[in-house]
Amino acid sequence: MPEGDSVHKLARRLDRSLLGRTVARSDLRVPSLATRDLAGREVLEHATHGKHLLTRFSGGVTLHSHLLMDGEWSVTRPGRRLPSRLLPDVRVALETTAGTTAWGLRLHQLDLVATAEESRLVGHLGPDPLHDDFDAAEAVRRLRAAPEVPLVGALLDQTRMAGLGNLWANELAFIIGRSPWTPVGEVDVERLVTLAARALRHSALVPGAYQVTTGTGRRGESHWVAGRQRRPCLRCGRVVQMVDEVPNDPANRRTWWCPHCQPGPLRPQR
């Protein structure tokens, strides 16, 4: 699932193919945007806020996309197209005058707004650790505002701090040594925010560090608990546990933890 570091790296990849290029043909395959045309506009910037991608064009227009669980962007070289099996998933096609084409697939949230009005779409989000003006104190304040919320649920709430997805939320809970269901008000929130910001920036900006949480990229050892259910904990050797998402509760996705290394409340009863 895309997280803030994923979207940041995607933006930089799209920069290499689209930045400064002029759109020759656009195709927005969602009913609300089907008649809109971006042809003739120059791609000025790919900005991100958390998991949101903001493609800014000349003339003060922004294309907003959110990848959710399975969305993606792909770029083809001049004269090349996507495999035919992927074409039904295309929601956006942006062909530039240089011949490169960016394809947005399975984009469940797609908007076209005036750049000056982007806040209508992302203004509710919390501070983003990948922004130069990241406000750590504001992230701490927002996390503390509801101290009873479970740790992982609080980290997944994008209105508190933007960019942390399920992988990072579970890994951070392990790193600070607390159960995922510990009320966030019972942890050192300043330290938590500092660790989260440092981890996300390291993952997004350092070559070879993408979503490696243990410090080693060796196969099967890059994460402390995420994806390691029924396998030995890399720290203590006990078995890592996993509980599936709670139906109809987006704040409780699949959760991994080591009961020995992460003392605190046990998983909720169903």
Side-chain angles (χ1 to χ4, degrees):
M1 180 189 71
E3 310 209 7
D5 49 354
S6 315
V7 180
H8 185 276
K9 291 176 76 69
L10 167 64
R12 303 292 73 79
R13 179 166 60 84
L14 291 174
D15 279 348
R16 292 192 289 273
S17 300
L18 301 178
L19 202 62
R21 303 281 175 83
T22 298
V23 177
R25 182 185 66 86
S26 71
D27 186 2
L28 305 178
R29 301 180 186 178
V30 295
S32 61
L33 302 179
T35 61
R36 305 293 294 274
D37 188 6
L38 293 169
R41 297 183 186 272
E42 180 184 347
V43 180
L44 301 180
E45 184 180 9
H46 290 98
T48 64
H49 194 127
K51 305 176 186 182
H52 298 251
L53 177 67
L54 302 164
T55 303
R56 294 170 179 158
F57 298 88
S58 59
V61 173
T62 294
L63 180 66
H64 162 260
S65 58
H66 193 302
L67 306 184
L68 292 183
M69 297 291 288
D70 61 345
E72 63 175 303
W73 281 88
S74 182
V75 178
T76 53
R77 298 190 300 273
R80 302 293 296 272
R81 290 176 58 85
L82 285 181
S84 58
R85 61 183 174 79
L86 297 179
L87 293 179
D89 293 329
V90 172
R91 298 296 175 266
V92 179
L94 301 173
E95 182 181 351
T96 73
T97 53
T100 55
T101 302
W103 309 84
L105 291 82
R106 298 178 301 279
L107 301 177
H108 306 280
Q109 293 182 13
L110 201 62
D111 306 277
L112 198 61
V113 299
T115 300
E117 297 179 3
E118 288 175 358
S119 62
R120 290 198 296 108
L121 302 173
V122 297
H124 65 290
L125 299 173
D128 184 338
L130 294 176
H131 287 187
D132 291 339
D133 62 352
F134 173 59
D135 189 342
E138 176 62 12
V140 169
R141 186 193 70 79
R142 292 186 181 210
L143 285 164
R144 282 179 170 165
E148 75 285 356
V149 174
L151 171 59
V152 165
L155 291 174
L156 288 173
D157 185 344
Q158 301 299 294
T159 68
R160 301 175 190 274
M161 182 164 56
L164 298 172
N166 210 33
L167 182 145
W168 282 114
N170 281 270
E171 292 294 283
L172 286 164
F174 179 89
I175 289 168
I176 67 170
R178 301 300 293 269
S179 158
W181 298 280
T182 303
V184 70
E186 295 181 9
V187 308
D188 183 340
V189 178
E190 288 93 344
R191 176 173 178 261
L192 177 65
V193 168
T194 297
L195 287 171
R198 183 185 304 150
L200 210 62
R201 288 195 292 264
H202 187 76
S203 177
L205 302 175
V206 176
Y210 176 62
Q211 294 189 349
V212 173
T213 62
T214 60
T216 175
R218 286 194 295 269
R219 184 178 178 84
E221 297 182 11
S222 59
H223 302 151
W224 289 110
V225 289
R228 292 186 55 81
Q229 63 269 24
R230 298 187 298 277
R231 299 178 67 186
C233 172
L234 293 173
R235 180 175 290 165
C236 73
R238 308 286 180 88
V239 176
V240 172
Q241 304 293 310
M242 185 271 287
V243 60
D244 278 323
E245 60 188 304
V246 176
N248 302 316
D249 185 354
N252 285 280
R253 296 174 182 154
R254 183 170 292 182
T255 302
W256 299 272
W257 81 107
C258 172
H260 179 261
C261 294
Q262 296 174 257
L266 299 178
R267 67 186 187 181
Q269 299 298 312
R270 301 193 183 185

